[in-house]
Amino acid sequence: MALYPRFPLRLVSALAALGALTACGGGDGGGTAASTTRQPPAATATGSAQPDTTTPPGATEPAGTGTPGGARPTEAPAASGATKPASSRCRTGELRASVGRNNPGAGQENFPVVLTNTSARSCTVYGFPGAAFVDGSGRQLGADPRRESGSAPARVTLAPGRSAWAGLTFSNPEISEARTATPAALLVTPPDEREPLKVPWQGGPVPVGGNASTVFLTALAPGTGA
């Protein structure tokens, strides 16, 4: 019969108690004290104080953000009239000139000088056109026409294709016995423009000197004068 060593009863009891403690500490498989440590819950925004956004003492704002006296900059008002509207005046290049049929009466020759808007926009003419008779070499014949004193200027708006006219009037040279010449063309300059439009002249002799040789022009009016 085998003999086993005998242990003291107190030692056996202590070993049994230690084994029981080891079996009860497993938990969820971690088995360590760190696995049971919990962090305090995070604070929520509800009821919490807003962070202080004022500039700390001694600190400066970025360049360009401050204003004299420490005031905060305000939004600048939107600029009005940023672009200036283009002029509505009719330019020489937007017009065509023509001379209508003579309408004689009381010893006078009366020709309508017509300006027609050939552009794609509406534009305006105001006042008196310029005019000059020239020969085939471009040399002016006679003096510049004078403005008719009883003709009141008015602004005329010309839609594309529309016309305005001024009356070109002079005494019949056969009656007045003025010195005459037969022009090759009439140069017509729109109001406030420098470049003229050239129109072939088919109205016969015109007075260029002597008795009753003055040529008159009326202010522009809507239409063709026909």
Side-chain angles (χ1 to χ4, degrees):
M1 179 177 184
L3 296 177
Y4 295 94
R6 298 182 63 88
F7 295 95
L9 180 59
R10 290 180 178 178
L11 179 60
V12 172
S13 298
L15 292 174
L18 180 61
L21 288 174
T22 304
C24 292
D28 294 331
T32 62
S35 65
T36 60
T37 302
R38 297 181 180 272
Q39 298 294 330
T44 62
T46 304
S48 61
Q50 296 296 324
D52 185 6
T53 59
T54 57
T55 304
T60 59
E61 292 184 343
T65 61
T67 56
R72 295 284 181 177
T74 57
E75 184 178 356
S80 60
T83 56
K84 187 178 180 178
S87 172
S88 63
R89 186 176 82 240
C90 296
R91 305 292 183 172
T92 298
E94 297 175 311
L95 300 170
R96 180 182 72 249
S98 59
V99 177
R101 185 172 56 185
N102 184 19
N103 183 23
Q108 297 289 316
E109 310 299 321
N110 305 297
F111 294 88
V113 177
V114 182
L115 294 175
T116 301
N117 182 7
T118 60
S119 73
R121 72 178 185 105
S122 293
C123 59
T124 62
V125 291
Y126 177 82
F128 299 81
F133 293 111
V134 295
D135 61 16
S137 63
R139 182 173 62 91
Q140 183 170 340
L141 302 173
D144 291 338
R146 293 184 181 180
R147 295 178 178 182
E148 182 66 58
S149 60
S151 181
R155 191 172 305 278
V156 181
T157 299
L158 301 180
R162 296 295 184 177
S163 303
W165 72 284
L168 180 72
T169 302
F170 53 85
S171 298
N172 186 322
E174 294 182 359
I175 299 174
S176 66
E177 297 182 353
R179 182 163 48 88
T180 65
T182 301
L186 176 69
L187 300 182
V188 181
T189 306
D192 300 316
E193 292 292 296
R194 293 183 179 274
E195 294 298 321
L197 298 164
K198 188 175 183 179
V199 184
W201 179 257
Q202 300 175 346
V206 299
V208 294
N211 297 331
S213 59
T214 302
V215 180
F216 294 94
L217 270 172
T218 65
L220 287 162
T224 62

